Amino acid sequence: MHAQIVLFDGFDPLDVIAPYEVLYAGGIASGGAVSVELVSAEGPREVVSGTGGLTLRATAALDPGRAGLVLLPGAAGRMAELDSPGEALGEDTESGAGQREDSIPALLGRALDTELPALMKAALENPDVTVGTVCGGSLVLAMAGLLEGRHATSHHRGLEMLGSTGAHAVRARVVDDGDLVSGAGVTSGLDLGLYLLEREVGPRIAHAVEELFAHERRGTVWHARGPVPAGF
């Protein structure tokens, strides 16, 4: 499995680094069955995160035609606006108008003004690609109109916004909706990466990496199957 982890201006570093390290370690443990790289919609470039100017380098352009995994992180910035989904998803959302420049909705909105939505749409339409998201990465897809009717999760403070786009927002650590697998808050990138290793490469590889990182996966991976709980 080849994993492309997408960088965009204002990305959250932990959303990227946590799954990157898990998948990279999985590649070593599996004898090369997993490979991972950092990409951007624009191609190779230095990409500035939303955390104190920390910069990572994308080494290639996002290729939605390449089989494997495309993983989209969220943004790092002011979170207060996430509590006002009506304002955040107004008619000017895509440009980030009306939001503080350092707010998460504004950062995600600016990502929508790039080629990223079209590339992610192509990835979602490719039967050989699994799309993964961490934290606000699902909001990027939702704000682009790509998650209507899909089950997904995000940071707990973004779930109302996610649901207002027509997606089925699930309060779970990891949500598996087939070719779309999403993680909740930022540290869930570890759990998302470990689950994807288990799903795509096998539990022995995932367990080996889990032990290496001294991290036990949290929560039940949510699937849209089985009986619906009653009385909750």
Side-chain angles (χ1 to χ4, degrees):
M1 176 181 70
H2 181 70
Q4 302 179 76
I5 301 181
V6 184
L7 303 180
F8 59 86
D9 294 323
F11 71 91
D12 188 307
L14 189 54
D15 288 7
V16 171
I17 295 301
Y20 182 97
E21 286 211 44
V22 168
L23 295 170
Y24 182 81
I28 295 173
S30 64
V34 180
S35 56
V36 58
E37 66 178 334
L38 301 180
V39 301
S40 80
E42 299 78 16
R45 70 182 182 100
E46 302 291 322
V47 187
V48 181
S49 76
T51 305
L54 178 67
T55 301
L56 294 177
R57 178 166 179 77
T59 58
L62 170 59
D63 180 4
R66 184 168 184 177
L69 170 70
V70 174
L71 195 151
L72 185 63
R78 289 178 55 89
M79 297 189 64
E81 289 82 353
L82 283 176
D83 294 325
S84 303
E87 296 179 11
L89 291 170
E91 60 183 23
D92 293 325
T93 295
E94 292 192 358
S95 64
Q99 301 290 333
R100 288 180 55 111
E101 290 187 1
D102 60 348
S103 73
I104 289 177
L107 294 170
L108 299 180
R110 285 199 289 275
L112 296 178
D113 290 332
T114 70
E115 292 299 312
L116 183 58
L119 291 169
M120 294 306 300
K121 182 176 186 292
L124 283 164
E125 292 173 347
N126 186 341
D128 296 321
V129 171
T130 294
V131 171
T133 65
V134 180
C135 200
S138 60
L139 294 177
V140 176
L141 300 182
M143 292 162 70
L146 300 177
L147 292 192
E148 187 170 355
R150 301 298 302 266
H151 295 91
T153 192
S154 187
H155 190 282
H156 66 274
R157 290 178 66 178
L159 287 175
E160 187 176 354
M161 183 191 297
L162 181 63
S164 68
T165 67
H168 297 298
V170 182
R171 189 176 291 272
R173 185 77 169 170
V174 175
V175 172
D176 185 334
D177 196 39
D179 62 352
L180 173 68
V181 185
S182 52
V186 285
T187 59
S188 69
L190 287 167
D191 302 303
L192 179 75
L194 288 166
Y195 173 66
L196 288 168
L197 282 182
E198 178 184 3
R199 194 181 92 157
E200 304 296 331
V201 188
R204 290 185 178 183
I205 299 300
H207 182 257
V209 175
E210 187 177 85
E211 281 200 315
L212 176 67
F213 283 18
H215 173 78
E216 294 184 3
R217 275 170 44 194
R218 292 173 50 197
T220 300
V221 175
W222 189 94
H223 298 257
R225 63 173 186 249
V228 177
F232 284 85

